[in-house]
Amino acid sequence: MPVPPQTKTAAAAAAQQQQQQQETIKLRLADLRDLARITTICIESLPDDPTFDYLWRYRHRFPADNQFFWLQTLKAHLFDPRYTMLVAVLYSPSSSPEKIAGEENLEETIISFALWERNGNTRAAKRRVRKRNSLNNRLHNGLTHAENWLISRRYTRRDADFARLEAFGNVMEDIHRQYWEKKYANNFRLDLLCTIREHRRKGAGTMLTQWGMDQAKREDANVGVESSPMGLPLYEHLGFKMEEIRHVIVKGDDEQLLVRVMALAAGSW
């Protein structure tokens, strides 16, 4: 006797709900082995941010360039002592029959990542940067910078609109000087936050943002971000206040980009 479609749907929904109840998300520091996955998350999720298509307007024609140069950029940040790259890992019951002795049979999937920048000259800020500046990171950082310099001499990336990129860079440098070097000089700044589409609304983005807020509270620091439209509800929910909206404009270009500067003053949450 065939099973009615509504019964199948209900059973599938129940199975999915049960699996979600067994899922957990944990944060950890990113390492070199994570870069390929992080780059994939970046490229698949950032098109929901207007900044991505505005700057990399030729990425559909040159997807390999987009992938390659993002990977190199993320690698440079991974070993920069001023930055901390975190990943949110989803642990879920494995469907594989293979099991490693002494380990739980769980699948690990990186679903989100964040890049935090530490700015300031306080004792806590300097201590954090020194801790990140290990021999391993210094070697990787030097090699990556040398590699990227050689790449820049050999290849020109074809996915970018360089006029827009220059205008955006100028605006971001001015924001950094005004807010993250002066007004809120001692800060944790959220440089990048990406979550793969199919795993959104599971709390990973909130966890990664809250991590920086917790670190800032411990070190009596401010928190800052340049928000995309997609991230705006999250940051407002967490208490960030809008400081300013900047416009990125290129002469002769009908399109423009908005950059929303948001901050949490130390001790305000």
Side-chain angles (χ1 to χ4, degrees):
M1 182 176 175
V3 180
Q6 60 268 28
T7 304
K8 289 182 179 179
T9 303
Q16 184 179 16
Q17 184 178 11
Q18 183 181 11
Q19 181 178 3
Q20 289 175 348
Q21 290 172 348
Q22 294 175 309
E23 292 177 342
T24 58
I25 298 174
K26 296 181 181 180
L27 305 186
R28 65 167 171 80
L29 293 175
D31 63 41
L32 191 57
R33 297 167 298 180
D34 301 323
L35 270 183
R37 175 64 178 171
I38 289 171
T39 304
T40 297
I41 292 173
C42 186
I43 290 172
E44 290 185 4
S45 64
L46 277 182
D48 294 331
D49 178 354
T51 306
F52 198 73
D53 279 336
Y54 181 79
L55 297 177
W56 321 114
R57 64 187 301 190
Y58 308 118
R59 66 185 178 86
H60 294 294
R61 286 175 57 194
F62 303 105
D65 280 35
N66 197 243
Q67 170 99 15
F68 175 74
F69 283 101
W70 265 110
L71 181 111
Q72 292 302 123
T73 298
L74 291 166
K75 189 196 295 187
H77 284 311
L78 179 63
F79 299 113
D80 188 322
R82 294 177 303 124
Y83 288 88
T84 300
M85 189 179 292
L86 298 161
V87 292
V89 183
L90 178 71
Y91 295 88
S92 56
S94 176
S95 57
S96 173
E98 299 178 0
K99 185 175 181 179
I100 300 174
E103 294 189 10
E104 290 186 88
N105 196 25
L106 296 176
E107 290 183 358
E108 300 180 17
T109 307
I110 297 174
I111 61 172
S112 186
F113 79 94
L115 184 65
W116 282 96
E117 179 188 25
R118 185 63 170 103
N119 296 296
N121 291 313
T122 64
R123 184 176 298 177
K126 291 177 179 178
R127 183 169 57 246
R128 181 175 289 271
V129 171
R130 279 199 306 271
K131 186 177 178 180
R132 288 273 301 138
N133 200 26
S134 64
L135 176 61
N136 178 70
N137 278 2
R138 289 201 303 272
L139 288 172
H140 274 293
N141 196 29
L143 289 170
T144 302
H145 276 283
E147 181 182 37
N148 283 341
W149 180 81
L150 290 169
I151 288 169
S152 70
R153 303 281 292 181
R154 177 67 178 84
Y155 304 106
T156 300
R157 66 180 306 171
R158 297 165 295 176
D159 58 332
D161 183 314
F162 287 99
R164 292 179 177 181
L165 200 60
E166 182 180 8
F168 177 74
N170 290 337
V171 168
M172 293 299 287
E173 285 179 10
D174 191 57
I175 289 171
H176 204 283
R177 280 193 300 269
Q178 181 177 342
Y179 290 100
W180 319 133
E181 296 172 30
K182 294 180 180 178
K183 185 174 182 179
Y184 298 107
N186 176 33
N187 66 78
F188 283 78
R189 171 180 163 268
L190 184 54
D191 187 277
L192 201 55
L193 176 64
C194 299
T195 303
I196 203 81
R197 286 192 182 104
E198 60 265 30
H199 291 294
R200 289 176 185 165
R201 301 190 181 278
K202 292 185 177 181
T206 301
M207 291 173 67
L208 288 163
T209 307
Q210 190 68 53
W211 179 91
M213 294 169 62
D214 292 343
Q215 301 301 310
K217 182 171 285 189
R218 290 192 192 99
E219 299 182 15
D220 194 29
N222 307 289
V223 186
V225 65
E226 293 90 20
S227 175
S228 67
M230 186 172 59
L232 192 59
L234 170 62
Y235 304 132
E236 288 178 336
H237 175 72
L238 292 172
F240 284 76
K241 305 300 181 186
M242 187 72 71
E243 293 285 328
E244 181 184 3
I245 299 178
R246 292 284 187 96
H247 294 255
V248 179
I249 300 172
V250 176
K251 187 176 181 181
D253 190 336
D254 293 335
E255 289 190 51
Q256 60 176 283
L257 181 71
L258 303 182
V259 179
R260 298 163 181 81
V261 184
M262 305 184 77
L264 270 174
S268 65
W269 76 97

